[in-house]
């Protein structure tokens, strides 16, 4: 039975011939290509017609540098410990005590650093792309000069 159907199909193709099948396919492709190629409106007019007002962009104050934060903390000695593309870290000594100041290239990098630091405990003064580690009294005094939020981490050991 199947062999007979194949023979019938082959006989039909021989009678119709390849030219008869190509003509409708060619006409359909030509119609499709013409429809896609014809411009509805010039690009400039189309872009202006569909343009929407740009969304307002929030302009935040620039993040503070280690040197700016150290100046606000009244550092007498500043030693940069890490100077990498993603973060900079420095030890800052004042008459009142010691600060560790860290600045970050991105807010995401800052948040990842703070999340990792949670396991060690501590208290941090956190601003836009920066964090400062010190005693609570030093952080509150610095907060009055630079702003930011005090975040206290709880010390937890993995697996406990």
């Amino acid at each position: 039975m199947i062999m007979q159907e194949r023979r019938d199909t082959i006989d039909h193709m021989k009678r119709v011939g390849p030219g008869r099948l190509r003509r409708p396919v060619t006409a359909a492709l030509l119609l499709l290509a013409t429809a896609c190629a014809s411009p509805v409106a010039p690009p400039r007019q189309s872009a202006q017609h569909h343009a929407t007002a740009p969304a307002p962009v929030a302009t935040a104050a620039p993040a503070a540098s280690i040197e700016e934060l150290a100046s606000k903390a009244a550092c007498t000695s500043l030693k940069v410990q890490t100077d990498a593309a993603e973060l900079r870290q420095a030890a800052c000594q004042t008459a009142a005590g010691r600060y560790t100041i860290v600045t970050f290239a991105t807010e995401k990098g800052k948040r990842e650093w703070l999340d990792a630091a949670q396991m060690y405990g501590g208290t941090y003064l956190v601003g836009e792309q920066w964090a400062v580690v010190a005693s609570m009294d030093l952080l509150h005094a610095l907060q009055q000069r630079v702003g930011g939020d005090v975040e206290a981490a709880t010390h937890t050991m993995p697996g406990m």
Side-chain angles (χ1 to χ4, degrees):
M1 180 83 171
I2 294 175
M3 293 301 287
Q4 183 60 40
E5 288 175 5
R6 283 188 184 166
R7 278 190 219 128
D8 290 344
T9 303
I10 292 171
D11 288 341
H12 176 72
M13 291 299 285
K14 286 180 184 176
R15 276 185 273 125
V16 171
R20 286 189 155 182
L21 186 58
R22 277 191 224 146
R23 286 184 201 127
V25 171
T26 303
L29 288 175
L30 183 59
L31 180 62
L32 181 62
T34 305
C36 291
S38 63
V40 173
R44 179 176 287 150
Q45 289 174 344
S46 178
Q48 289 170 351
H49 175 72
H50 293 285
T52 58
V57 177
T59 54
S65 69
I66 283 181
E67 292 77 14
E68 291 168 330
L69 292 167
S71 174
K72 297 281 185 174
C75 290
T76 55
S77 171
L78 181 68
K79 294 182 182 161
V80 176
Q81 300 165 323
T82 304
D83 195 357
E86 63 276 359
L87 69 85
R88 291 183 73 211
Q89 179 175 322
C92 164
Q93 187 63 48
T94 69
R98 183 176 188 273
Y99 296 90
T100 299
I101 303 170
V102 188
T103 59
F104 303 89
T106 65
E107 278 294 308
K108 181 181 178 200
K110 176 189 78 177
R111 185 46 45 201
E112 289 172 352
W113 184 88
L114 285 167
D115 290 346
Q118 291 280 331
M119 71 168 26
Y120 301 105
T123 306
Y124 309 91
L125 179 60
V126 180
E128 183 182 336
Q129 294 182 347
W130 57 265
V132 178
V133 183
S135 65
M136 186 66 84
D137 58 328
L138 288 175
L139 292 179
H140 282 299
L142 183 59
Q143 184 181 30
Q144 297 300 313
R145 291 174 274 186
V146 299
D149 298 312
V150 175
E151 293 186 18
T154 57
H155 179 72
T156 58
M157 292 297 293
M160 295 191 106

